[in-house]
Amino acid sequence: EIRIDRIHERALIDFSGTSVQQPGNLNAPASIAHSAVLYVFRSLLDSDIPLNAGVLRPLDIRLPAGSLLNPLPPAAVVAGNVETSQNIVDALYGALGTLAASQGTMNNVSFGDGRHQYYETVCGGAGAGPDFDGASAVHTHMTNSRLTDPEVLEWRFPVLLESYAIRRGSGGAGRHRGGDGGTRRVRFLEPMTAVMLANRRRTRPFGVAGGEPGAPGRNWVERVDGTREEFGATCRVEMGAGDVFVIETPGGGGFGAPT
C-alpha cells in the first residue's frame, strides 16, 4: 500500500501483509526492498538528481520483521536479489498505477560440469505505460547484466546457440501493448547439468488500467530422441549430447483497455 502526503511531501510505502519468510531462498533482505523502492521513486522524478540515500528521506518504508522482505537469520536469500526484487518493483509500479508489470524475473540459467561453468540471465518483455508500449526482449528494472556474445559462448563452451528470437505476441494487449519476451534455444554438445531459477511461469505479468497480462514464461528440454520434457520455474536437469534447452521468457503487461 502506498499513501502520498502532498501537504508534508512524504510517502508511506507499507508492506504489511507480505508473506512470512519462506524455507526456500526467495527471501529478500530489507536492503533489497529499500533498493527497489529507491529505484522506483527515483525513476518517477523529472529532476536530474543523484541516485543516493537522499531520495529515501521523504519515504517511510514499513517492512514487517520475519517476512519475505525482511527475513530473520538464518533465512536463505540468494533468489531474493534476482527474483523477488523484480516482483517488488512491479508491485510498486502497479500500486502507483504508472506501469504494467514487466517479465518479473531474471530467468537465471546456469550449466556446467567438472570443466565448464556458465551463468546468464535472459531478457523478456517490459511493461507498457500510459503513453508508450513496452519494449521487447530487454532486461528490465533490477537486471543489469548483458548476455555473452554467441561467438564467445560457442568458442568457450561445448554448446550451440541454435536461435534467439523475439517471442511474438507474448506481450499483453492494451491501449499500449506490453513488450514481447524472447525464445532462446541452446543445444548441448556434451553432457552437462543445467539449472533454471526463474519466476512468472504460472502467474502472468499483470496489466494496468484495463490492460491485459503478458504471457507467462515456459522452459523445456527437447531430447535427442525426439521426446520433450516440460519444467517449471525452477529446475535442475541433466543434459545429454544433442539435447536442446528451450526458454520462453514472459511478456510484459499492457496499459489501458484494448481498443
Side-chain angles (χ1 to χ4, degrees):
E1 224 177 20
I2 298 177
R3 302 173 193 168
I4 307 296
D5 184 344
R6 299 182 183 277
I7 296 176
H8 298 96
E9 297 183 331
R10 299 194 63 80
L12 171 65
I13 300 92
D14 189 357
F15 288 98
S16 298
T18 294
S19 301
V20 298
Q21 67 187 65
Q22 304 295 300
N25 60 23
L26 285 162
N27 304 291
S31 57
I32 297 296
H34 281 81
S35 296
V37 172
L38 171 64
Y39 165 79
V40 167
F41 278 83
R42 172 63 185 86
S43 73
L44 298 175
L45 299 176
D46 289 332
S47 304
D48 185 16
I49 64 173
L51 182 62
N52 58 29
V55 179
L56 293 174
R57 285 178 188 162
L59 306 179
D60 298 317
I61 304 172
R62 294 182 183 173
L63 292 168
S67 69
L68 184 75
L69 305 184
N70 190 11
L72 303 175
V77 296
V78 65
N81 182 40
V82 292
E83 292 298 298
T84 307
S85 65
Q86 294 280 65
N87 287 274
I88 300 172
V89 170
D90 280 341
L92 292 168
Y93 280 126
L96 292 165
T98 55
L99 190 68
S102 295
Q103 67 165 342
T105 177
M106 297 190 189
N107 300 293
N108 306 270
V109 182
S110 58
F111 59 78
D113 55 19
R115 294 185 302 122
H116 303 95
Q117 294 294 324
Y118 179 72
Y119 168 73
E120 68 181 19
T121 59
V122 187
C123 58
D131 54 1
F132 56 87
D133 293 342
S136 296
V138 293
H139 279 305
T140 56
H141 301 318
M142 309 310 282
T143 322
N144 61 357
S145 56
R146 178 180 174 181
L147 275 174
T148 303
D149 293 333
E151 296 83 0
V152 175
L153 176 67
E154 295 176 351
W155 173 46
R156 294 185 177 179
F157 301 94
V159 297
L160 175 68
L161 182 60
E162 285 198 338
S163 65
Y164 189 33
I166 294 176
R167 185 186 174 196
R168 300 292 181 187
S170 56
R175 187 172 70 251
H176 293 285
R177 285 194 61 87
D180 290 330
T183 301
R184 189 167 176 85
R185 297 176 56 89
V186 180
R187 183 177 295 274
F188 286 74
L189 306 181
E190 295 179 7
M192 279 192 279
T193 301
V195 177
M196 185 87 188
L197 173 60
N199 223 319
R200 295 269 169 87
R201 266 41 183 181
R202 292 194 301 263
T203 304
R204 301 170 66 184
F206 60 80
V208 166
E212 296 183 2
R218 301 170 61 205
N219 31 275
W220 66 87
V221 172
E222 296 174 2
R223 298 295 184 185
V224 70
D225 63 5
T227 59
R228 173 167 160 163
E229 299 176 24
E230 297 268 356
F231 295 94
T234 58
C235 64
R236 174 191 171 107
V237 55
E238 298 303 321
M239 304 294 297
D243 294 343
V244 182
F245 199 98
V246 186
I247 305 163
E248 289 186 345
T249 61
F255 195 103
T259 56

